[in-house]
């Protein structure tokens, strides 16, 4: 299968992956067996957990990994645009008379709206775009070799998408020839980082709002580009949201798509005269005057002072969607126009046999306005005899976790939240810091030193187990060296905090789960998971923790989950640290 | 031309655009002439300006705007996956024995690594993904009509890409039949918001670092998805950066691509024994023992205690790129290993006739380490006689505007900055709040009310002029009503702050620039601008302001630039405000 985004190709990478590969190739080291691990060092936004996402796209990226002819040409020759191509490219400008001439150099009228509007000389002696070859002067054989490289020689294991994961545990392990294993770094990081962040973020919003609320993602317009939008919709659903407004994401990834109308729709109507068709076919099949029905309720309810354009817009929308009537009530005035108009139209719809869905508030104090609206529903019932308690109140203005907490504190009558900007840009921490580190080459475990212990890597190809305790709840994730026996249920094992070897525990697991599963071995092994499988997996894990150990989920100072190493790995790491580090000399 | 990102298609939209369109179509209002304007209300991150970006992609989106058969099917019928398709989709799982059977329902072993690993029943009676039709029950004729809609009936004007722009000024104006003009909203916002934010953000970084510094964008791995990465590279270049590490962005958009090697490359070498080939062909064509030359300098300089694996890695890299040697010096210890190793290899390269490029620091205190490194360069010169002052020091760890300010305050020896995460995720404000508002329908100007005056829209189709004063510097952007005479140079005109009508000025412009240029009229009119045209346009505008009115660019409390309306527009707006707003009754 192809990646969802056509840009997720081999050349979506940092140049240094290719320059490094060249250096390895040049020295005949490009096929040394190597092991890389992808992991993160800290949970985002000081949270207690992360949800691993992006693996499906990563698997597709691996499957389709190939440099194209265009990639190779660009690396070897750079970008040179010929005069002929230039003329073609600038056809519009020539026709529009913006370019006066194309000679060896040509004149062009440029816009300079801040300062001068002048004719500026633009020099393109024989070519326009001339980007120096990023890999100029390299051995031509290298490019022939690069053209053929793919992931057929790699073995990849990973934790399944939607798993709750913790710092320093390898999420993806890539084994194989140095060059291929190195070249997938940037692509994997790009596909995993945002996906995981987004799923984690969505699960925070879900927890903050409460299980029973309907959570909708509305962020496409503020997302970081088209793919940012599609990914945000997809991974917020995986992380526990109920739907999105994004049509394309719904179609591509099988997500429920929701939406009603905007302020501009309401503004489009000035008065009831804008309604040419006044009728509506009721559930009983009879066609009657719907406008008259609405106006009767308006009179009875005393709501005659409301904005008439807005009322017309609601009526028109209800005529189009009698089964799906949800009105945006804050174009003019929520309590004095929007809600009364909603009540009139909703009650008339009831007379025609339909159930109105509800209303949306997109501005003002959401707690106050929702309570006031609910109050109007209740008061109107005395006049209409129609119980509006089935009407959903959706709220959607600049919602973030703090707003949700504040709303819960103050009480509110909101049933559903539409969340945009802060969800899709991950306001509380806009990037997850996944890294991809070499842990073994040619059979030798390698370490990355740092003065900061958290930035050190844990050397060697590791196996990782989740140790589950008596109450069915995981106690810790344990990393072991390649040749160690896996932990066994019922058998005590010593676990050590790799950041502080004094912190040790002896754990007798009731069950042992191996976290890394093979997903690629020259061909894809990773099963396609449906959105609901991933989402249910996330929700069930979060619920299990909510019920048993909510302290792990706390957004401030959560209990840290233990990620440990075996005694043997700890000793080995210590030895390597001492060998590899230099002793600075002071005089 | 096609959009760079294949996802930028008609269905990349919020569902409500289509439901609203249906309601309009149903009432025969979909072809009412309408005018929409795209603008933002506040400069990002309390800054003084914004740079408008994304127009090229917006133009391509408009040109290719069409719903596909798949889009229509999804809207009308939802997503239903047949058993047959299901089996095909889950082939991997069947083969791998993960799925035991596919019957009317089937059993599936799911991973539940947080809790139990169990066999869970997954019910898919006859289909798997079943997403309810987002537009179920709508008139079938509507879908036939929707299949044909495109932008051929629209007229679009816009401010050229790379222009410095201000709040409330329309950046794009779309005129035409209500339905088509409405349907492009989300796509335009998505393409413009992040692009403009990124260009603005890049220009802040450029200003903070200083004009003479080389600014490189390194953020692909932390960007919000593949397109986030490609867009970040492109628009940071447009905003004033010098290059990117992103190969694909370089190829697609003609950007200079830069990069060297990573820590893993250095870790890949354990000792000098890893170097099988010790030779290097010098500039004079002679092949000599390069390793020996390096080791001679190492001995002379007394740098024999450095990490030998690192030295081997540097040598190997220099052999591969003798003309492009730039070493990452912080894998083990910057001052005690990396910099000494760099000096040895760089000096040996000099002996072979090559100019080493420099070194990169990716951790530690960048000010201190860069100064210490420069100090080592100077001390080594006494031994080697080789002036290393041409060696560039690149710094690249978690750099943001505050870090740049702090570095400038403390002094440093850094020549070039590689900026990643905080640049591409726009840390200081992760989304620009562009909106798209209906300002006129059927010839009637419309207004969006709000208790917050900043959230009100300025009604009617407007023309916008930048008024330039005597010193060649713009004084204000002025919006006029459709039928008003354009301002003329040398003629005084009254301008009014639309947020506070007491703030008035009488301006006699020396020159008048019309900001909105026609870019689309059923066919594309907008000229293709090369990256350097856009970039130079940005840089020259920012420099002009830096030189004359730096107070406009200040990152804290900048002088606000005036965006005003004419007296006539102000009066009209006031009238409409009073007509459209309701008077709440209190008892």
């Amino acid at each position: 299968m192809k990646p969802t985004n056509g840009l997720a190709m081999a050349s979506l990478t940092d140049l240094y992956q290719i320059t490094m590969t060249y250096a390895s190739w040049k020295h005949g080291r490009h096929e040394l067996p190597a092991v890389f691990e992808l992991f993160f060092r800290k949970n985002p936004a000081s949270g207690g957990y992360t949800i691993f996402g992006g693996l499906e796209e990563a698997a597709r990226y691996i499957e389709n990994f190939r440099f194209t002819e265009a990639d190779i040409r660009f690396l070897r020759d750079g970008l040179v645009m010929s005069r002929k191509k230039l003329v073609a490219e600038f056809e519009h400008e020539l026709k529009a008379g913006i370019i006066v001439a194309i000679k060896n150099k040509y004149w062009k009228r440029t816009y300079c709206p801040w300062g001068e509007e002048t004719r500026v000389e633009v020099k393109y002696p024989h070519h326009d775009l001339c980007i120096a070859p990023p890999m100029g002067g390299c051995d031509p054989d290298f490019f022939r070799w690069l053209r053929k490289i793919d992931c057929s020689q790699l073995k990849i294991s990973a934790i399944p998408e939607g798993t709750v994961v913790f710092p320093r545990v390898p999420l993806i392990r890539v084994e194989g020839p140095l060059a291929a294993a190195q070249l997938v770094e940037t692509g994997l990081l790009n596909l995993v980082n945002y996906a995981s962040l987004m799923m984690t973020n969505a699960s925070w919003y879900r927890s903050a709002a409460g299980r029973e609320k309907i959570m909708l993602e509305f962020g496409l317009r503020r997302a970081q580009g088209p793919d940012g939008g599609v990914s945000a919709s997809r991974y917020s659903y995986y992380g526990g949201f109920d739907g999105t407004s994004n049509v394309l994401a719904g179609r591509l990834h099988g997500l429920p798509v929701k939406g009603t109308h905007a302020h501009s729709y309401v503004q489009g109507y000035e008065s009831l005269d804008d309604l040419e068709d006044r009728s509506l076919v009721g559930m009983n099949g009879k066609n009657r005057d719907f406008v008259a029905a609405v106006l009767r309720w308006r009179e009875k309810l005393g709501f005659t002072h409301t904005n008439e354009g807005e009322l017309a817009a609601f009526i028109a929308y209800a005529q189009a969607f009698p089964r799906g009537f949800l009105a945006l009530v804050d174009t003019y005035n929520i309590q004095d126009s929007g809600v009364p108009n909603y009540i009139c139209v909703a009650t008339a719809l009831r007379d025609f046999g339909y159930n109105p869905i509800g209303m949306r508030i997109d501005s003002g104090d959401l707690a106050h306005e929702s309570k006031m609206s609910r109050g109007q529903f209740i008061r109107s019932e005395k006049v209409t005899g129609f119980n509006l308690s089935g009407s959903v109140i959706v709220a959607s203005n600049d919602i973030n976790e703090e707003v949700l907490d504040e709303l819960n504190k103050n009480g509110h009558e909101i049933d559903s939240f539409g969340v945009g900007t802060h969800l899709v840009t991950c306001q509380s921490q806009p990037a997850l810091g996944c890294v991809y580190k070499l842990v073994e080459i040619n059979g030798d475990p390698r370490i990355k030193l740092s003065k900061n212990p958290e930035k050190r890597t844990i050397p060697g190809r590791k196996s990782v187990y989740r140790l589950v305790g008596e109450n069915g709840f995981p106690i810790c994730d344990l990393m072991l060296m390649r040749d160690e026996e896996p932990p066994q249920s019922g058998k005590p094992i010593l676990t050590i905090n790799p950041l502080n070897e004094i912190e040790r525990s002896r754990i007798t697991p009731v069950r042992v789960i191996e976290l890394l599963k093979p997903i690629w071995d020259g061909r894809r092994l990773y099963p396609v998971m449906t959105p609901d499988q991933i989402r249910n997996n996330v929700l069930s894990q979060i619920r299990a923790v909510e019920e048993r150990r909510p302290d792990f989920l706390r957004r401030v100072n959560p209990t840290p989950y233990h990620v440990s190493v075996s005694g043997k790995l700890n000793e080995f790491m210590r030895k390597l640290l001492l060998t590899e580090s230099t002793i600075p000399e002071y005089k």
Side-chain angles (χ1 to χ4, degrees), chain A:
Chain A
M1 274 177 293
K2 296 268 175 210
T4 301
N5 186 331
L7 297 175
M9 52 171 81
S11 58
L12 185 77
T13 191
D14 294 302
L15 178 63
Y16 80 172
Q17 309 290 7
I18 307 175
T19 52
M20 275 192 277
T21 299
Y22 177 67
S24 303
W25 178 86
K26 193 84 183 146
H27 286 274
R29 294 169 60 84
H30 56 294
E31 291 190 329
L32 287 184
V35 185
F36 287 84
E37 287 174 357
L38 186 152
F39 60 97
F40 59 90
R41 298 187 184 110
K42 272 187 195 171
N43 288 312
S46 315
Y49 68 97
T50 300
I51 299 172
F52 176 47
L55 190 57
E56 172 62 36
E57 288 304 314
R60 297 183 187 194
Y61 164 76
I62 292 292
E63 195 171 342
N64 293 279
F65 187 93
R66 276 278 194 171
F67 288 94
T68 64
E69 277 311 326
D71 295 332
I72 302 286
R73 244 192 337 267
F74 175 59
L75 291 167
R76 194 184 51 208
D77 310 325
L79 270 186
V80 180
M81 215 185 261
S82 67
R83 263 261 294 297
K84 197 173 150 195
K85 192 153 174 220
L86 228 192
V87 175
E89 190 92 336
F90 286 84
E91 216 189 332
H92 283 295
E93 292 180 309
L94 274 170
K95 277 193 191 154
I98 298 169
I99 293 177
V100 179
I102 294 191
K103 289 194 266 184
N104 270 358
K105 55 189 180 182
Y106 64 85
W107 292 79
K108 186 161 170 353
R109 191 192 307 268
T110 58
Y111 310 108
C112 278
W114 177 277
E116 311 266 325
E117 185 173 25
T118 49
R119 291 160 80 98
V120 175
E121 185 177 354
V122 187
K123 280 186 191 164
Y124 297 123
H126 279 281
H127 46 259
D128 166 34
L129 286 168
C130 179
I131 298 297
M135 305 274 296
C138 289
D139 190 330
D141 282 343
F142 172 70
F143 297 107
R144 279 188 277 277
W145 171 84
L146 191 66
R147 183 67 187 88
K148 288 199 195 108
I149 201 161
D150 60 22
C151 293
S152 57
Q153 304 306 309
L154 296 181
K155 281 185 193 198
I156 306 179
S157 296
I159 299 180
E161 189 153 9
T163 304
V164 173
V165 291
F166 302 96
R168 288 181 302 285
V169 169
L171 307 175
I172 302 181
R173 179 178 60 211
V174 178
E175 300 171 80
L178 179 61
Q182 176 77 66
L183 284 168
V184 298
E185 171 175 10
T186 307
L188 288 181
L189 288 172
N190 179 279
L191 293 168
V192 163
N193 261 327
Y194 181 58
S196 302
L197 184 67
M198 195 62 229
M199 282 175 74
T200 312
N201 195 29
S203 88
W204 293 334
Y205 275 79
R206 156 62 64 210
S207 297
R211 274 190 208 181
E212 71 292 347
K213 300 298 177 197
I214 304 164
M215 300 299 287
L216 304 172
E217 181 274 318
F218 283 177
L220 177 56
R221 63 190 59 197
R222 304 285 165 85
Q224 302 200 339
D227 185 60
V230 173
S231 304
S233 306
R234 175 187 197 177
Y235 295 112
S236 62
Y237 184 73
Y238 290 4
F241 267 54
D242 298 293
T244 173
S245 65
N246 185 337
V247 175
L248 182 61
R251 169 160 81 73
L252 292 176
H253 301 299
L255 318 175
V257 181
K258 306 281 177 194
T260 54
H261 66 82
H263 297 116
S264 69
Y265 179 78
V266 175
Q267 290 168 260
Y269 285 81
E270 258 186 295
S271 77
L272 293 170
D273 299 340
D274 288 336
L275 296 169
E276 286 182 21
D277 176 7
R278 299 170 56 99
S279 68
L280 177 65
V281 179
M283 278 290 270
N284 59 7
K286 284 189 189 148
N287 197 338
R288 284 186 291 151
D289 186 334
F290 184 61
V291 179
V294 172
L295 293 180
R296 268 198 304 280
W297 284 119
R298 194 186 195 212
E299 200 62 42
K300 269 195 198 161
L301 286 155
F303 290 159
T304 47
H305 58 282
T306 63
N307 186 297
E308 202 185 298
E310 184 181 58
L311 182 64
F314 286 4
I315 291 173
Y317 198 78
Q319 287 171 304
F321 294 98
R323 284 175 190 79
F325 179 61
L326 200 153
L328 176 63
V329 296
D330 68 339
T331 306
Y332 300 106
N333 185 308
I334 301 174
Q335 299 306 329
D336 284 292
S337 184
V339 175
N341 281 337
Y342 169 72
I343 293 174
C344 298
V345 177
T347 310
L349 269 180
R350 187 269 324 246
D351 292 347
F352 280 65
Y354 297 106
N355 280 322
I357 305 285
M359 49 169 259
R360 177 160 73 96
I361 310 172
D362 190 40
S363 59
D365 183 300
L366 301 175
H368 177 70
E369 299 291 356
S370 68
K371 285 192 254 182
M372 295 277 284
S373 304
R374 195 69 77 191
Q376 291 217 50
F377 290 178
I378 293 166
R379 282 196 301 282
S380 74
E381 192 184 336
K382 288 177 194 146
V383 180
T384 63
F386 177 37
N387 182 354
L388 275 166
S389 67
S391 277
V392 170
I393 299 181
V394 186
S396 62
N397 183 32
D398 253 352
I399 287 167
N400 61 17
E401 285 181 88
E402 287 72 49
V403 170
L404 291 171
D405 288 343
E406 209 50 50
L407 283 168
N408 289 338
K409 230 185 272 172
N410 292 317
H412 63 86
E413 288 288 337
I414 299 162
D415 306 292
S416 173
F417 293 96
V419 195
T421 316
H422 304 309
L423 176 69
V424 304
T425 58
C426 297
Q427 188 190 31
S428 51
Q429 179 177 322
L432 177 65
C434 274
V435 294
Y436 184 85
K437 295 289 175 192
L438 178 75
V439 294
E440 206 173 290
I441 186 162
N442 218 359
D444 291 328
R446 309 302 296 149
I447 195 165
K448 155 90 178 70
L449 299 184
S450 171
K451 284 176 190 168
N452 179 349
E454 290 203 353
K455 282 199 146 190
R456 283 177 206 146
T457 57
I458 299 173
R461 179 193 189 278
K462 295 169 282 291
S463 46
V464 194
Y465 299 89
R466 188 155 283 178
L467 307 183
V468 182
E470 268 186 352
N471 60 359
F473 206 74
I475 305 168
C476 113
D477 288 359
L478 177 65
M479 289 180 257
L480 280 80
M481 289 183 77
R482 182 196 276 277
D483 50 354
E484 288 188 88
E485 280 292 307
Q488 284 168 33
S489 59
K491 246 178 93 175
I493 184 164
L494 183 74
T495 68
I496 300 178
N497 180 347
L499 299 180
N500 179 5
E501 60 177 1
I502 297 166
E503 274 184 38
R504 293 168 299 173
S505 312
R506 201 174 309 275
I507 297 176
T508 307
V510 165
R511 217 175 55 259
V512 173
I513 301 166
E514 181 156 23
L515 285 180
L516 288 165
K517 319 267 183 189
I519 68 151
W520 175 264
D521 182 8
R523 66 187 184 87
R524 179 171 164 149
L525 306 172
Y526 181 60
V528 176
M529 291 171 81
T530 65
D532 285 324
Q533 282 176 305
I534 299 174
R535 181 170 182 271
N536 291 339
N537 193 6
V538 172
L539 289 175
S540 68
Q541 289 171 82
I542 298 292
R543 278 178 195 179
V545 194
E546 268 172 4
E547 277 157 21
R548 299 191 232 180
R549 291 293 304 270
D551 51 315
F552 280 113
L553 300 180
R554 209 163 40 209
R555 288 289 284 118
V556 178
N557 285 332
T559 302
Y561 180 78
H562 292 295
V563 174
S564 305
V565 296
S566 66
K568 190 171 168 189
L569 179 50
N570 185 58
E571 269 316 306
F572 178 77
M573 194 163 66
R574 191 165 161 267
K575 213 183 89 200
L576 206 61
L577 269 173
L578 295 175
T579 334
E580 291 290 351
S581 56
T582 52
I583 302 172
E585 311 235 347
Y586 292 96
K587 280 166 198 164

